[in-house]
Amino acid sequence: MALKTKKSENSNRKKRRSRDNFFMNEKFKFILGIFILLIAAYLLISFVSFLFYGSDDHSRLDLPWRELIWNSEIHVSNKAGKTGAYLSDLIMNRGFGFASFIFIYILSITGLRILGRKIVKYKRSLIFYLVLLVWISICLGFVFPKKDAASYIYPGGQYGFVLSSWLSSLVGNPGLILILFITGLTIIIVRFESAYDKIKSLFRKRVKPEILSQPAESDERIEVEESVSKVIDGDRDVVQAVFDPDSEDQGSDEIANHPVSTKENVSNDEEGLELTVHKIKEEEGDKEYEAGEMEEYDPTLELSRYKFPNLDLLEDHSSDNAEVSNEELIANKNKIVETLRHYKIEITKIRATIGPTIKLYEIVPAPGIRIAKIKNLEDDIALSLAALGIRIIAPIPGRGTIGIEVPNQNPEIVSMRSILGSRRFQESLAELPVALGKTISNETYMFDLAKMPHILVAGATGQGKSVGVNVIITSLLYKKHPSQLKFVFVDPKKVELTLYSALEKHYLAKLPNDDEPVITDIQKVKYTLNSINVEMDQRYDLLKKAHARNVKEYNKKFIQRKLNPEKGHRYMPYIVIIIDEFADLIMTAGKEIELPIARIAQLARAVGIHMIIATQRPSTNIITGVIKANFPARIAFKVASMIDSRTILDTPGANQLIGKGDMLIASGGELIRVQCAFVDTPEVEAICSFISGQQGYPTAFMLPEYNEDEEAGPGNVDLNNRDELFDDAARVVVMNQMGSTSMIQRKFSIGYNRAGRIMDQLEVAGVVGPSEGSKPRQVLMQDEYSLERLLNSLN
């Protein structure tokens, strides 16, 4: 019975999904848009005909609606037929009069918007025209009241006549005129930004005639008809004016050489003359771009019809979860108390908190009991409870209790649907909100990736690491518009992240002329990471010019049109780099990968570039000190040993997790246990299909081109100025058949920089090949005889 119910629920969900996809279909939108435009055209014909033939049809329109429509012997003069005549009378006469033509305009822009036409601030325009409709109707109803019974039309419509009559009875005709005047003025000021300045200028006090002529070049230069000399001392704007009636040109050059901006009146008591000085503030750095009366920039405008994925695309996996029984709680409590008493440890208080995967028992030991004694009983408590994954937190920070975490007999599956549907996620105002799962207290665990700012994810195979990465990606897809977020996916295994290749024209960033949206080739990974370094440097240059500290401040200025695009400024989307199986990259490319990653991790936070690295091999040669130092936020799924846990979290605990999404999150000095939400592969495919089925950008977001020649290499090495150890180093390299900078450093006890220069000279001379990352260089000389011939030719 339960199986049939579940099948019916799945079938209903699929029907709803197919119905939603139909309404989101481009063909449906095209048909709907055309239909609305045709209605607008039909109403226009009927309204215009009603103005000319309304008197002829007036008697027929008094008939009952059914008789008018169904009786074929009744004919009307309206060019739109009986339906048009009836709608015209209904909307114009019984509605808003001549102002009803605004309905036609509203329908027209609505239809064009559905067809893909960009209508700037559509909702604001819709509200404005509806308010204007009512205002015009009341005005016409007041000015042209229908007093003649023979007249067939209300200029203001029935609503306009009734409303104007009611308002007139309340405040009288003068009061109604004032109300209409004030509301009309308000409508004009709100709608037209320039109207406020023009209206305000009418009430300004007129300035006396100025001695100064009009500014010659946009107030940057001024000329004086009288003789004037002017001194501006820094920012103090000290103004001195001296007049000489006998001289006409004296001092005019001195004024012209001082830029000015604000007006200041300086009078001379002796002559009674008044001088108005225009002062321009000194320009500092990149002056903010003045966009005049342009509206704010909308980064989502190009994909204004983009629809975010809905929760129906996700399955509710929590429907079959079993609840923790009271018997289980009491039994565990008794076993814990009994085990502690065996070792003469008394407790004064015990409390249980039920989570999705584990139960937390908080105990307060009797006075005089050492915490370390309880901590050492971890294995004994696990034995008495016959359970794996027992973890003792002694003490729990900020609570003054000792925590004992005990796994549930029937762990609960945390559904991704319940996490994304939670109020906390829906109302989040974070820049990059990520809902990861539920805590022990069943609260939705969230964080802002922009504040983390980079995450290291590690865990053994099959413990939920890949699902955790999918949860992070899904959270961002449900919150951020394609114009606000771009992903760079690196997947050496070629199977984990390729699902997201369908998002290429919406959310993905890649190198120019790169065919694969998800990067799987090691060499392309190196180019991409270096390209992101170039993008990072370019963004910092733009932030410097804009006087912004981070990408949030910069984008705010750009949206407010305070930055000039002609000077290179652009809207910056967040870029999230996700690298799966980091261990394979490090083993293959080594320093060539680690160094650009470390630089991104150190510097990229302020410019909106964030990185998530995942690996299933948390050993010290993979997660190096450089990586750990720059990834303060770490997520650990179950690992095999305490050493691996210390490598990831700098503390044990990850080895005691129970798996299947059970994880520890270390951030800001806190260690939180969370049950990761579950999102299955078909759900990810459905989300990607939903997004890719919508209109996207012409191409993926293009990263800057990276030129391999710009890498550190031998450069222009002059072999005529060789190092004095060049010959000996060449013999050592050929003798050992290994080209290594560190070997030269050790053999000759010299510094790394000098050894590197010698290696560059050996490469130019043809002794060794080019650099291969962390691998030794290939030795091109196979014997010492060939080497000696080369050395003799160089000497």
Side-chain angles (χ1 to χ4, degrees):
M1 187 67 183
L3 183 61
K4 289 182 179 179
T5 304
K6 190 170 184 179
K7 285 183 178 178
S8 63
E9 289 178 357
N10 290 336
S11 63
N12 291 335
R13 191 176 293 116
K14 288 180 180 178
K15 288 179 182 177
R16 288 197 303 269
R17 190 179 303 165
S18 62
R19 185 177 66 249
D20 293 340
N21 290 338
F22 171 75
F23 288 115
M24 289 299 300
N25 190 280
E26 292 292 329
K27 293 180 180 178
F28 172 77
K29 291 182 178 180
F30 178 79
I31 295 171
L32 179 62
I34 294 294
F35 181 70
I36 292 175
L37 289 177
L38 290 176
I39 290 176
Y42 181 78
L43 287 178
L44 179 63
I45 295 171
S46 63
F47 283 8
V48 174
S49 296
F50 183 74
L51 297 178
F52 292 97
Y53 305 107
S55 58
D56 298 339
D57 301 334
H58 187 61
S59 60
R60 298 177 183 87
L61 293 175
D62 291 335
L63 296 173
W65 179 80
R66 291 180 181 274
E67 183 180 353
L68 175 67
I69 296 298
W70 295 108
N71 192 343
S72 59
E73 296 180 358
I74 299 175
H75 299 281
V76 295
S77 300
N78 194 299
K79 301 301 181 183
K82 290 188 287 187
T83 303
Y86 177 78
L87 290 176
S88 300
D89 181 66
L90 179 67
I91 298 173
M92 294 186 70
N93 255 4
R94 307 179 204 174
F96 298 94
F98 294 152
S100 302
F101 280 93
I102 294 177
F103 279 125
I104 298 174
Y105 180 75
I106 291 174
L107 287 173
S108 300
I109 63 173
T110 302
L112 291 173
R113 187 172 188 266
I114 293 175
L115 290 174
R117 182 75 175 269
K118 294 180 180 179
I119 307 297
V120 179
K121 294 191 176 181
Y122 168 75
K123 293 181 180 178
R124 181 177 173 182
S125 299
L126 189 64
I127 295 172
F128 167 76
Y129 285 113
L130 289 175
V131 172
L132 184 64
L133 172 80
V134 177
W135 187 85
I136 293 176
S137 177
I138 295 174
C139 280
L140 293 176
F142 174 69
V143 177
F144 303 103
K146 182 183 175 185
K147 297 180 179 179
D148 185 5
S151 176
Y152 69 92
I153 191 170
Y154 286 94
Q158 187 174 352
Y159 291 151
F161 176 73
V162 171
L163 288 174
S164 62
S165 299
W166 176 67
L167 290 172
S168 180
S169 66
L170 285 178
V171 296
N173 289 344
L176 179 56
I177 293 172
L178 286 175
I179 290 175
L180 291 174
F181 176 76
I182 293 172
T183 53
L185 192 64
T186 304
I187 291 172
I188 294 173
I189 291 174
V190 171
R191 178 59 179 173
F192 305 103
E193 295 181 6
S194 60
Y196 172 73
D197 295 330
K198 291 180 180 178
I199 294 173
K200 188 177 178 181
S201 65
L202 298 175
F203 298 96
R204 286 177 182 165
K205 183 180 178 181
R206 294 188 176 274
V207 184
K208 294 180 180 180
E210 299 179 3
I211 295 176
L212 297 178
S213 64
Q214 293 295 326
E217 299 176 0
S218 302
D219 290 341
E220 291 181 0
R221 298 289 184 269
I222 62 176
E223 296 178 0
V224 185
E225 296 177 356
E226 298 285 354
S227 173
V228 179
S229 67
K230 175 179 180 294
V231 179
I232 298 181
D233 183 10
D235 294 331
R236 292 179 296 168
D237 296 326
V238 179
V239 181
Q240 297 177 348
V242 179
F243 296 90
D244 185 358
D246 298 330
S247 175
E248 295 182 357
D249 299 324
Q250 180 184 354
S252 60
D253 292 336
E254 293 159 34
I255 290 185
N257 291 331
H258 292 280
V260 287
S261 86
T262 58
K263 291 186 177 180
E264 179 177 337
N265 293 331
V266 180
S267 60
N268 190 309
D269 293 336
E270 295 180 1
E271 301 292 336
L273 297 176
E274 185 178 277
L275 170 67
T276 301
V277 181
H278 297 263
K279 291 174 284 187
I280 292 178
K281 295 179 181 178
E282 183 178 356
E283 183 175 344
E284 297 180 0
D286 188 8
K287 189 177 180 181
E288 288 188 346
Y289 172 60
E290 295 294 337
E293 299 174 5
M294 295 179 67
E295 297 179 344
E296 288 190 351
Y297 172 75
D298 183 8
T300 66
L301 191 59
E302 191 170 350
L303 297 184
S304 58
R305 293 184 296 160
Y306 175 81
K307 301 295 183 184
F308 286 92
N310 51 60
L311 293 178
D312 290 336
L313 298 172
L314 299 171
E315 301 290 336
D316 188 7
H317 299 283
S318 59
S319 57
D320 297 331
N321 290 335
E323 295 183 359
V324 178
S325 63
N326 289 332
E327 291 78 8
E328 182 182 347
L329 289 172
I330 295 172
N332 287 337
K333 186 261 296 185
N334 293 334
K335 289 178 181 178
I336 291 172
V337 173
E338 184 180 352
T339 304
L340 293 175
R341 282 177 178 170
H342 286 165
Y343 296 93
K344 298 180 180 180
I345 298 175
E346 294 292 334
I347 59 176
T348 59
K349 188 177 181 181
I350 185 168
R351 183 178 67 181
T353 303
I354 304 173
T357 308
I358 62 171
K359 298 176 289 291
L360 173 64
Y361 291 92
E362 294 181 63
I363 63 173
V364 178
I369 301 297
R370 295 179 60 191
I371 294 177
K373 190 175 181 180
I374 300 177
K375 180 70 175 173
N376 293 334
L377 297 177
E378 204 166 57
D379 295 335
D380 298 279
I381 295 174
L383 178 63
S384 66
L385 295 174
L388 297 174
I390 299 292
R391 196 169 75 102
I392 295 180
I393 311 170
I396 297 178
R399 292 195 185 180
T401 59
I402 296 173
I404 302 175
E405 294 176 346
V406 181
N408 296 338
Q409 291 181 358
N410 298 302
E412 177 184 344
I413 298 175
V414 177
S415 174
M416 189 69 193
R417 178 171 180 160
S418 65
I419 295 298
L420 297 184
S422 65
R423 184 174 180 180
R424 188 175 182 185
F425 180 77
Q426 294 290 334
E427 297 179 356
S428 174
L429 299 177
E431 290 296 311
L432 295 174
V434 175
L436 205 54
K438 286 189 176 181
T439 62
I440 294 175
S441 56
N442 265 316
E443 295 177 350
T444 300
Y445 180 80
M446 279 189 60
F447 61 81
D448 187 357
L449 181 59
K451 295 180 180 178
M452 295 301 269
H454 313 289
I455 304 175
L456 174 63
V457 183
T461 305
Q463 302 304 320
K465 173 175 55 65
S466 297
V467 174
V469 172
N470 285 333
V471 167
I472 294 174
I473 298 171
T474 303
S475 297
L476 295 173
L477 291 177
Y478 268 78
K479 267 291 187 181
K480 304 304 290 184
H481 190 273
S483 63
Q484 301 167 336
L485 173 67
K486 300 298 174 184
F487 287 102
V488 175
F489 291 122
V490 177
D491 184 13
K493 289 198 295 187
K494 305 179 182 180
V495 294
E496 294 293 344
L497 300 175
T498 50
L499 288 171
Y500 298 102
S501 58
L503 307 180
E504 177 180 359
K505 294 184 178 181
H506 293 83
Y507 282 100
L508 299 195
K510 65 177 186 178
L511 289 172
N513 303 321
D514 195 351
D515 297 331
E516 297 182 357
V518 177
I519 306 163
T520 57
D521 182 73
I522 301 298
Q523 192 68 15
K524 290 182 179 179
V525 174
K526 183 181 70 172
Y527 293 156
T528 302
L529 291 175
N530 283 287
S531 173
I532 293 172
N533 273 271
V534 176
E535 170 75 11
M536 178 181 70
D537 294 335
Q538 291 178 357
R539 289 189 172 199
Y540 267 113
D541 290 339
L542 293 176
L543 258 66
K544 178 183 175 183
K545 293 178 181 178
H547 304 293
R549 295 179 300 172
N550 52 54
V551 69
K552 184 178 179 180
E553 292 182 5
Y554 178 89
N555 283 340
K556 184 178 179 180
K557 286 188 174 184
F558 189 84
I559 288 173
Q560 295 174 348
R561 298 192 183 272
K562 294 181 178 179
L563 302 176
N564 191 349
E566 295 179 358
K567 294 186 178 180
H569 291 293
R570 55 190 169 90
Y571 182 82
M572 296 182 190
Y574 285 95
I575 298 177
V576 177
I577 309 157
I578 298 181
I579 301 177
D580 191 39
E581 206 45 62
F582 178 64
D584 185 61
L585 292 181
I586 288 293
M587 291 178 62
T588 308
K591 294 291 183 182
E592 291 180 302
I593 295 294
E594 185 177 358
L595 293 180
I597 286 177
R599 189 165 184 267
I600 292 170
Q602 287 171 347
L603 301 173
R605 171 182 181 175
V607 291
I609 301 176
H610 306 278
M611 184 174 289
I612 299 171
I613 290 178
T615 180
Q616 63 180 4
R617 192 184 308 172
S619 54
T620 52
N621 63 327
I622 302 299
I623 303 177
T624 61
V626 175
I627 296 297
K628 288 179 68 175
N630 293 293
F631 283 78
R634 302 167 200 166
I635 298 176
F637 292 85
K638 182 176 174 60
V639 294
S641 65
M642 185 185 296
I643 296 174
D644 290 343
S645 178
R646 289 186 181 276
T647 303
I648 306 167
L649 303 173
D650 296 326
T651 184
N655 56 308
Q656 297 169 315
L657 300 175
I658 62 174
K660 295 183 179 180
D662 191 17
M663 60 184 175
L664 289 173
I665 302 175
S667 176
E670 284 187 307
L671 194 65
I672 303 172
R673 191 168 184 174
V674 176
Q675 176 60 38
C676 184
F678 178 69
V679 56
D680 206 357
T681 303
E683 297 173 72
V684 176
E685 290 177 343
I687 294 170
C688 293
S689 176
F690 178 85
I691 295 174
S692 61
Q694 302 183 57
Q695 178 188 356
Y697 295 102
T699 61
F701 181 83
M702 291 301 170
L703 296 170
E705 290 190 10
Y706 172 70
N707 188 0
E708 188 178 9
D709 298 334
E710 295 175 359
E711 290 184 81
N716 297 322
V717 176
D718 184 9
L719 292 180
N720 293 324
N721 189 22
R722 300 188 303 278
D723 192 281
E724 58 184 15
L725 295 176
F726 175 83
D727 293 0
D728 295 335
R731 295 186 181 98
V732 170
V733 168
V734 173
M735 187 182 302
N736 291 279
Q737 285 296 301
M738 184 176 71
S740 170
T741 303
S742 58
M743 183 186 70
I744 295 175
Q745 189 180 2
R746 290 193 308 271
K747 290 286 185 182
F748 298 101
S749 300
I750 58 177
Y752 183 83
N753 291 337
R754 185 180 179 186
R757 286 194 296 270
I758 294 175
M759 186 60 70
D760 290 342
Q761 293 172 2
L762 291 174
E763 180 183 345
V764 174
V767 179
V768 296
S771 172
E772 299 181 13
S774 60
K775 297 180 181 179
R777 297 180 186 233
Q778 181 182 0
V779 180
L780 304 179
M781 294 287 179
Q782 302 300 321
D783 52 65
E784 296 183 25
Y785 176 73
S786 301
L787 174 64
E788 292 300 328
R789 290 182 59 187
L790 174 65
L791 296 177
N792 290 333
S793 66
L794 292 174
N795 293 326

